[in-house]
Amino acid sequence: CDDGFEEENTNPDASNQVDPEYMFTKAIYDALNNSTGTVYEFGAGGFVQHFATYLEVPGLGDKYLYISGSYPYAFFNGAYLDAINEIDKIIYATEGVEGLSNQNAIAQIWKVYTYHRLTDLYGMVPYTEATTAFSEANYSPVYDTQEAIYMDMLNTLQSASGSLDANQPSFGNGDLIYNGNVDQWSRFANSLMLRLAMRLTKVNPTLAEEWAQKAISAGIIAEPSNNAIIDYPGGQVINSNPIAFQLRNNNYSESNQGSSNTEGGKFADTFISYLKENNDPRLSSFAAVWVNGSQKTDPELQQGMPNGLVNRPENFPGLSEPNLNTLLSLNSSLMVLGSAEMNLLLAEASARGWTSGDAQSYYLEGIRDAMNSLEGLYGNEAAVSEEEVNTYIASQSLTGSLEEQMETIHTQFWVSVFPDEIEVYSNWRRTGYPELTPVNVTGNLTGGTIPRRLTYPPSEISVNTENYEAAVSQQGLDLFTTRVWWDVEQ
Amino acid sequence: RVSYSQGDKISVKVENQRLEKVLSFIEKTSDYNFVYKVNEIDLLRPVSLNVTKEKIENVLQLIFKNDSISYQIFDNQIILKKKPSVKKIPRRTAKTTNYQQLVKGTIVDDQGMPLPGINVVEKGTNNGSSTNFDGVYEIEVGENAILVFSGIGFKKQEITVNGQTTINATLQNDTEQLENVVVTALGIKKEERALTYAVTEVDGDGFTQAKEVNLADALSGKIAGVSVSNLTTGAGGSSRVTIRGNTSLSGDNQPLYVINGMPMDNTTLGGSASTSAGGFNIDHGDGTGGINPDDIETISVLKGATAAALYGSRASNGAIIITTKKGSFNSGIGIEFNSSFTVDSPMDFTDWQYEYGQGNGGQRPLNQSNAITWGRRNWGERINGQPFVAFDGIERPYVAQKNNIDHFYENGTTFINTIALSGGSEKTSYRFSISDTDTKGVVPNNSFNRRIFSLNLNSTIGERLDIEGLVQFNRSKSYNRSSAGDATGNPNWVNMLANTVDVRWLDPGYDENGYEIEWNETPYASNPYFVANKFKNEGIRDRYLGQVSLNYRLLDNLSVRGSVSRDYTSFDFTAILPTGTLYTNNAAGEYHGFDLTVSETNSMLTVNYNEDLTEDINLGVMAGGNIRKYQNEQTNYDGRQFIIPFFYSFTNLQTSTTIPSNQHLTTNSIFGSLDLSYKNYLYLNATAREDWFSTLTASNGADSDNSILYPSVGAGFVFSEVINKPDWFSYGKIRSSWAQVGGGLPDPYTLNESYTMIPSSGEPLQQVTQVGGQRLLANANLRPYTSTTFEIGLEARLFNNRLGFDVAVYDKTTTDDIVNAQIPVTTGYEYTYFNVGEVENQGIEVAVNGTPVKNDNFSWDINYNMAYNKNEVKQLAEGLNTISVANSVGNWAEIHHEVGQAFGVIKGYSMLRDDEGNIVFDSNSGFPMRSELKKIGNSVAPLSMGLSNRFKYKNFALDVLLDGKFGNDIFSVLNVYATRFGLSKRTLEGRENGLVLEGVDQNGDPYTNTIPSTDIRSYYQNLKNYSDHFIYDGSFVKLRQVVLSYNIPVEKISLFKLQSASLSFIARNLFVLYSKTDNFDPESAYTNSNAQGFESFALPRTRSYGLNLKFKF
């Protein structure tokens, strides 16, 4: 009585096999399109005062208020449900399969990239037991300490990078970053290793130095030609630059003309003022104001919105927004990891005496690479001319004590790595630069200090209760003020 | 007593027609009804008859002249019974000298009509006789004998002979003995007394006066144990009916609907509304919305698994059996016309504060920018008529606007017309009906139209073959159904307009360019007039319901029946978020649509055998099989940003996707039943069914457990037939049954993981297949679940049927329930199916009916029903204590199934308190800390009742129905926002002098925080974090229905051969007599999913009143 039932119960619109390449493309997209609105504009981007919003509902980043919505935890949910689950499927499908070792190694590197952003935002997260429900029927993954996760990520980068073999097949076009080029992936792994190593300067400088040196000697992304960049063709939402898409969706569009604004967002005054005061040519690459129905990029017109407002300011329509033709172009490109950041980290490593080379040279090279990358990422309108680059660089120097140099490097990092807000926020927590003045509105959840992490989703509290509670008892209360492992208070 | 015209003349002309058709014809063409035991009468016996305007008595004599059937007539009831076995009473002859005397007489009823077939027995002996057709008997008896006259339908009477030679008697009706025949599973008719489980039948007339557009809503309050959630989703919306509580944690818990013996599809096409979405989060309507109440002959509600065991898994929540009207043989064209018109007026439950007006920090808006930012805020000045500037920049006096609900919503109208033609020739009968339902909703530009064409044909071919066919075609069109849940595109957020703003200032909601006019700080709270005037959604649904069944009688007591039915719906839906919608990307709008076809096909073959094993024992056996195929093929069209503004075509979108989805499933079944009856008081039945589910069949050869065999047994004992009972005790029966029903998984393709390509304008993309937008973890180890019911019932009728009651107690436990459980996202998935749930329902149902007054002109009938159901979730998955079912907007409250609690508890937060009860404050924010997530209420009402009264005076009748539910809670999102925005009266405290908050801080030290009056908003805004502030007791009593009808005395009108006519005043949902909710209707559900317990800006409840006119020619 059940003849033909197997076929009847097979989805005609799905296949029963993972295609590692097609799923890898999805995993790349998903790692980067995760919660770009909630984290970038209304979370981390507000904490570091790149963005401001006068409304209260999206006011987590701006005012450290939490009214409703998924602002604190959307990233957590999105990471596991999409990118991490997908990358684990690829690793599972390619593990030990002849001819797929490079795919497996690249997937492992991408997994580290995906996880480090997650743990940097939340601290302890499920890692070793995450996404094992399918293979091992584990429905309640334990939380690993951030220390353990960092150690494993560093080791994974080292081993995966070491196992790449140019003579073996690799991903093809499905690898949106390097087209399967294993040498480039090796540099990417080492660069990520440097990023992670430098993150440990507060909590364990020795370890930081050890891994930074490992990374540098193995070869990092030092030239713009090595940059990890994803081009977005536009079209479907998933094929569009996710930051541009979400910011347009939330606030900025031709029709709104700067005035009617869904979530009440603008560039923050802190960010715009800094760029103006330093005659930074990138101001006109990023920012624009609406004048008579079109966006004007003239630096003197630019003005940001103060953080911490609870009412719409009178001059709201005339405040600076992201430029629709550059930063918010749906087919603009996205910098995943680039030489500008690496050079700035090398400048710090050099200033600490962890590597050879001149700290100031690295610093200036970082700025140059950052400015030169804009045209490639955002098109002609974002281009910074050679003359402007040189003028700006001529005004810069890296001198003074280590602390003074740190301030110079990481204030520059705050501009140069924009709009990778998760990385900028992590770097700010580690270094404390640039010095930002927190706001203190009634009812804020941090007592008027900038949050040190995001909070876990309510679903973990209700359906992964024991592990959640164990994590909270180990890490500290699930609050915005609790610090993650590497963010030692100094 | 209303007397029926005994002189009603009958005309019948048939040749070799089955007896049941002839009886049915007489029922249709006269006021007479037949009452009989199914097993006693050979309904299939051919009858030939040719009479014109003949008295019923003569017609009956002709029909039954050679039959062993007796008949008795009183009022309009004709009782058919096997002739008393006169021959079997030994008749002593005159040889016995004890018998000295011949007694003769005539027995009549209280109308003076002679009674044939009455037993006449000499008391204490076996000596007996019976009356002939003229009611005359004779018997030889001893001198001091006592004669006992008895007959079915009459009270026994004893008369002492005392030397008389002629004894005439008038027997009184004993109506309590009348037996109803009810329709049970697979369309099998059974006498009520033969049932071993609870069945309640409601006559079709109960639905045709004060109509609900969705038939299922009309069941509200009428039947013990049947709970109806009256959704407020507008005309054409769906219903939620549960019988004896919720039994499955993941299933929809609604009963199976069956039309004329064949299941129909009752899914909410396009999905139920969710509790937190916006935009076009609408209720598309379900299958019962496609039934014309005027086509209904009866509705039988099979409450328990026992009754439904033959229908299989989908009936584990009970079954609702709809029998439609049929034409009669040998009749001319009969025409029925039924028309009703009601006005549906929105009810305003709000009771806001009107002391302080629009504004912020104690200031009223003095410029347009502030007026917009403060569009929903009521933290302004004391309302005193002073000038202020509104969102449109116009200066106006600052006065309270108390009638915004009345001003925004319109009166809706519902106009329902049905015309039916019926008739038949000797071998064929037909009934054809057309109905048109036209409603205008309360939100401007919302309307719903439904047309139903229905044709029922019955035909007899030769002597042994019968064909029955039903074809129904529906077309319904809905325009601009209202969204519920979140604010986006939901016009019902008009409730949140500031209290000094007149809603009409927002009209028409768009500017000269057609763009939405901003009236508050966030475009997510749409301008209600813009939504009403510019948003468009349209659903066009075509439904074809076809059934054909053939019945062939191999022998007189053996027949084979085959039937095929197909319920096919095609549904096209488009929702346009128009150009100018401020919350859409670039205000360029969005397009959402789907085309779907859904079909359910059932093919069934049964063999029926019926045999009298002995004089006293009757055996009925049935065996059969069924193949059910269900297909749902849907293509979703979604896109954003219309390229050419205001041109709303799928071809005109910046980005768009087209995604198909196909769901196929098959369930194969075999089943059988056995019925045994002993005399007329002991009944036994047993059934068994085995199902095979394609949805539980794993691919790639995994050994899956996809079938289940489940039995049921039941017994009924009419003890009043065998015990010595007092006179006032007319009828008593006790019944008991035990049944199991197995169930499968509703969704296909979830046993094995699969991978889907998704639309990409770049490189190909593959992802793990999602099911209904959920990341569902596949589980290949699922097996069928089992629902086991045990019930005991007691029925009794007392005092000559003036009082009756029916009590049932039951225990219904679902084991191995397939649970759609939320799992941590850190698994990579959100949900999976586990096979471990256990849910128990224990309950009691009481139905009492009585006739306190009954005389020639006036009668009063009263019916009361009550049901109490105690539900407990006994077990979820191992290590899993709670399952999250749904979240409110903002996640302030959640619906969970939790071990040890009832199905669907509401969970939320309260203020954290220390051991001494002090509120613990967070010294960072200055506000109370929040407790952990905990239970704050129950979403399902355990207790429900209904009370209906029917008064009849001459040609007038008044029906009044009250119903109520008790013991559930509702989380009100409306009140969260009304508090946040300062509309709620609770926000008056602290407006002048601020609030002093006292308690302890995190360290337990005394803590005080003073909130200045200018910042009082921050306090009330923060209250939403403590969900228990917004929980309300959902208990209510409502005056559900009032119908005052007048039967027009047509015999005085010789116009157009009018047979009957009535005119009624009808009203539904008139008053809330008891309620504990603030600002909203306690029945404010907007989704028919399991996620009950939230109120969230649904349409207002409407009070409907109007007229109904019925004619019969």
Side-chain angles (χ1 to χ4, degrees), chain B residues 74-92:
Chain B
F74 48 90
D75 287 1
N76 56 335
Q77 297 272 13
I78 300 168
I79 298 156
L80 303 181
K81 190 173 166 19
K82 249 186 190 168
K83 273 205 176 125
S85 311
V86 181
K87 286 174 223 152
K88 299 212 171 66
I89 300 171
R91 194 166 201 184
R92 309 244 175 125

Side-chain angles (χ1 to χ4, degrees), chain A residues 1-3 5-6 8-23 25-26 29 54-57 66-69 73 76-77 80-82 85-86 89 126 129-134 138-141 143 173-174 176 233-239 245 248-250 252-256 259-263 310-314 330 442-448 457-464 481, chain B residues 360 367 369-370 373-374 377 515 518 521-524 582-583 585-587 629 640 654-657 660-662 664-668 692-701 706 748-751 753-770 775 777 822-830 832 834 880 882 884 890-892 894 896 909 922 924-925 927 933 980 1015 1017-1018 1021 1024-1025:
Chain A
C1 282
D2 58 0
D3 274 2
F5 274 15
E6 280 193 24
E8 179 86 352
N9 203 31
T10 300
N11 188 342
D13 299 311
S15 72
N16 57 8
Q17 278 185 332
V18 171
D19 182 296
E21 183 154 340
Y22 299 158
M23 198 170 277
T25 315
K26 180 79 173 15
Y29 275 150
Y54 74 85
L55 287 176
E56 289 147 322
V57 171
Y66 175 45
I67 300 286
S68 66
Y73 56 82
F76 185 100
N77 286 348
Y80 285 104
L81 293 176
D82 293 319
N85 198 30
E86 285 156 357
K89 300 265 174 225
E129 293 187 3
T131 66
T132 52
F134 181 65
N138 181 346
Y139 300 117
S140 42
Y143 284 63
N173 293 336
L176 300 174
Q236 297 290 354
V237 172
I238 195 162
N239 306 106
F245 178 81
R248 278 174 172 261
N249 202 32
N250 292 323
Y252 313 109
S253 66
E254 285 90 351
S255 77
N256 290 346
S259 61
S260 161
N261 188 304
T262 319
E263 300 276 24
V310 292
N311 277 306
R312 177 188 169 113
E314 291 281 323
L330 292 175
T442 311
N444 78 78
L445 299 161
T446 60
S459 62
E460 283 292 292
I461 304 172
S462 59
V463 294
N464 198 14
T481 45
Chain B
N360 197 56
N367 62 51
S369 175
N370 280 346
T373 307
W374 304 341
R377 299 188 197 175
Y515 278 56
E518 215 177 353
E521 60 194 320
T522 168
Y524 287 125
L582 292 179
Y583 80 83
N585 200 340
N586 205 20
K629 285 191 178 291
R640 293 161 179 260
Q654 295 273 11
T655 58
S656 59
T657 57
S661 75
N662 297 286
H664 298 171
L665 59 94
T666 301
T667 305
N668 291 336
W692 287 263
F693 303 100
S694 74
T695 56
L696 288 175
T697 308
S699 60
N700 64 36
N706 65 358
Y749 320 143
T750 62
L751 268 69
E753 181 153 291
S754 65
Y755 310 95
T756 312
M757 302 301 288
I758 64 163
S760 170
S761 45
E763 296 299 318
L765 297 172
Q766 190 191 43
Q767 69 180 15
V768 180
T769 302
Q770 299 181 4
R775 279 102 170 162
L777 174 63
Q822 188 184 14
I823 53 176
V825 293
T826 43
T827 60
Y829 301 85
E830 297 164 283
T832 193
F834 290 124
L880 190 66
T882 187
S884 171
N891 287 330
W892 297 309
E894 305 181 5
H896 280 241
Y909 307 90
D922 176 347
N924 279 331
S925 67
F927 292 137
L933 187 69
R980 183 173 155 197
D1015 214 6
R1017 180 173 82 99
S1018 65
Q1021 170 143 297
K1024 71 191 179 306
N1025 287 311

Side-chain angles (χ1 to χ4, degrees), chain B residues 827-971:
Chain B
T827 60
Y829 301 85
E830 297 164 283
Y831 298 90
T832 193
Y833 282 113
F834 290 124
N835 215 168
V836 292
E838 184 173 335
V839 185
E840 183 175 46
N841 284 278
Q842 290 175 317
I844 179 163
E845 292 160 0
V846 177
V848 180
N849 57 72
T851 308
V853 181
K854 187 172 183 180
N855 60 43
D856 282 353
N857 284 328
F858 181 70
S859 68
W860 174 23
D861 294 314
I862 185 163
N863 275 285
Y864 168 77
N865 69 74
M866 183 283 282
Y868 179 78
N869 183 74
K870 179 175 170 291
N871 178 296
E872 187 182 343
V873 176
K874 309 280 268 193
Q875 182 180 304
L876 301 169
E878 192 186 323
L880 190 66
N881 196 42
T882 187
I883 300 176
S884 171
V885 181
N887 300 328
S888 77
V889 173
N891 287 330
W892 297 309
E894 305 181 5
I895 304 292
H896 280 241
H897 299 325
E898 190 157 304
V899 174
Q901 301 285 349
F903 181 97
V905 294
I906 306 172
K907 293 180 86 172
Y909 307 90
S910 63
M911 292 180 181
L912 187 67
R913 291 180 185 269
D914 68 10
D915 294 340
E916 277 88 55
N918 298 308
I919 294 173
V920 181
F921 284 83
D922 176 347
S923 52
N924 279 331
S925 67
F927 292 137
M929 295 185 74
R930 205 157 85 152
S931 72
E932 78 282 10
L933 187 69
K934 60 184 186 183
K935 179 188 166 186
I936 55 173
N938 282 314
S939 71
V940 182
L943 178 65
S944 61
M945 50 187 85
L947 176 69
S948 69
N949 284 282
R950 182 178 174 84
F951 304 95
K952 277 180 86 172
Y953 176 74
K954 294 189 172 170
N955 281 321
F956 290 94
L958 175 66
D959 288 278
V960 180
L961 172 67
L962 286 93
D963 67 356
K965 289 186 192 173
F966 306 89
N968 64 312
D969 302 286
I970 303 170
F971 178 79

